[in-house]
Amino acid sequence: MTKAIARLSILLAATAISATAASASDDISVSLVLGQRNSGFHEAIACGARAAAKELGVKVNIQAAPTYSASEQIPVLNAVMATSPSAIVLDPTSSTALIAPLMEAAANGAKIVAVDTTLDDPSVLSAVVGTDNESVGRETAKALAKALDGKSGKVAQINSIPGISTVDARIKGFEEEIKKYPNLTYIGNQFASEDIPKAQQAYVSLMSANPDLIGVVSQSNNPAIGVAGGIRSTETAESVVAIAVDADEAEIEALNEGLLDALVSSPTKWAMSASSRPSLPSRASPSRRRSAPAR
C-alpha cells in the first residue's frame, strides 16, 4: 500500500511540474508542503516526489508541519512562498484557512496543486489529485456491515477534526450508507483530533459509555491507530469490529494483530484546470480491502 501511495505522489509531482511548464529545466522548482511530519502517508508522498523530481530533472523542496493543523501548516507555507517556487504541492489541512495564503502564492505566479485534501474554493488550484471520499466513506460502512455479518447493535465513528475535506466527505458517505442497515444503530461521530493518544482515549470513553458497542470506523490513519490502541487496552478485539482508512505501517501492524478488521482505500483520480492541463496518462489504483486474521 505504501508503494501505491508513492506512485500517487510521483503522479502528483509530475502533474505539478507539467502544470508549470512544457518541459523540465533547472529553473523549475517544486515545493511540497506536507500536513504532518513523521506520518507514513506523508513520508510515502515525499519519497515518491523525490523519485519523480530526480526522473524529471527538477528541484523539489520538501517541508512539513510539526502537527496536522492549519495553524502549523500556514507558517511553513509562508516560508516556502518566500523562496518563490514554480509550483507548490500540498495537502491542505483546512478547506478554508489555507485559501488566502494560497491565493497570494498563485498571484505571485506559483502553480498550486492539492493532493488528498482540497479547498472549499478550488479556483486557486491548478490541479487536484485525490479520491472520491464520499465513496470511501460508503465503503467503510459496507465493510463494517459485512464484517458484522448481520449482527445487531451500536456502531460509531472516531475521527480527527472537522474542516478537513477528505474526512468530512468520508463521514458524510458513511452516514448515508449506514442507514441502509437497520440492524445497526449509528450513535454518531466523535472528533478526537490528529493526536493518537486522544483518539485512544476517545475510544476508551466511548466503550465506557456504550459497553454494548459492536463496531467503530475511523476515516484516517491517526485516529485509527488510536482506536487500535484503545481496543488493545480495553481488550475488546473480540467484541468490536474496527474498520479504518489508509494503510500506515502502524495500521497494517494493528490489522495483523487483529485490532483492526479491515483497511479501505479507493481509486485515485486527478483533475486539472484547462489552462494548465499537461499530457499525462490517467492512472487509478483499485479499491483494496485487507482482512485481519480470523478471530
Side-chain angles (χ1 to χ4, degrees):
M1 184 60 69
T2 301
K3 291 182 179 179
I5 296 171
R7 288 196 294 272
L8 162 64
S9 61
I10 291 172
L11 172 60
L12 165 64
T15 303
I17 294 161
S18 298
T20 307
S23 61
S25 74
D26 291 338
D27 296 330
I28 294 177
S29 63
V30 177
S31 288
L32 179 61
V33 183
L34 298 173
Q36 184 179 7
R37 297 174 193 161
N38 303 319
S39 159
F41 176 78
H42 293 100
E43 289 171 0
I45 291 177
C47 181
R50 291 188 189 97
K54 182 177 180 181
E55 177 184 344
L56 296 167
V58 300
K59 300 173 184 176
V60 61
N61 171 33
I62 300 174
Q63 302 292 330
T67 60
Y68 196 93
S69 69
S71 62
E72 296 281 4
Q73 190 179 33
I74 288 174
V76 177
L77 175 60
N78 289 337
V80 161
M81 287 165 54
T83 68
S84 301
S86 307
I88 296 174
V89 179
L90 80 168
D91 58 318
T93 51
S94 167
S95 59
T96 56
L98 274 293
I99 294 174
L102 289 175
M103 289 183 69
E104 181 182 347
N108 290 331
K111 299 294 184 179
I112 313 298
V113 178
V115 58
D116 187 43
T117 54
T118 187
L119 303 172
D120 284 353
D121 178 8
S123 62
V124 70
L125 303 175
S126 296
V128 179
V129 180
T131 64
D132 180 349
N133 285 294
E134 286 191 23
S135 176
V136 173
R138 288 191 290 271
E139 287 300 315
T140 61
K142 293 175 184 178
L144 181 64
K146 182 177 181 180
L148 288 169
D149 194 25
K151 189 175 180 180
S152 296
K154 296 178 181 178
V155 299
Q157 293 189 84
I158 294 177
N159 288 302
S160 55
I161 55 178
I164 302 174
S165 62
T166 49
V167 174
D168 290 346
R170 291 170 188 174
I171 291 172
K172 180 181 178 182
F174 175 89
E175 290 179 343
E176 290 175 351
E177 186 68 26
I178 204 68
K179 294 175 183 177
K180 299 178 182 179
Y181 301 94
N183 57 307
L184 301 179
T185 302
Y186 177 53
I187 60 174
N189 170 66
Q190 292 189 17
F191 286 113
S193 85
E194 285 285 341
D195 186 74
I196 291 173
K198 288 182 180 179
Q200 178 170 333
Q201 184 55 50
Y203 176 84
V204 172
S205 298
L206 181 66
M207 283 303 305
S208 177
N210 300 275
D212 52 347
L213 188 78
I214 62 170
V216 63
V217 168
S218 293
Q219 302 290 352
S220 59
N221 55 337
N222 284 350
I225 296 166
V227 165
I231 290 172
R232 181 188 294 110
S233 68
T234 56
E235 299 182 345
T236 51
E238 295 293 336
S239 59
V240 177
V241 167
I243 308 296
V245 177
D246 292 335
D248 270 14
E249 183 176 346
E251 285 182 288
I252 294 172
E253 290 175 358
L255 182 73
N256 291 333
E257 191 179 339
L259 301 172
L260 298 178
D261 292 270
L263 298 178
V264 177
S265 66
S266 93
T268 301
K269 62 181 181 179
W270 60 273
M272 301 198 72
S273 63
S275 61
S276 58
R277 186 174 294 121
S279 298
L280 288 174
S282 176
R283 302 182 186 181
S285 59
S287 249
R288 296 181 182 179
R289 183 178 302 147
R290 294 181 57 188
S291 296
R295 294 177 181 169

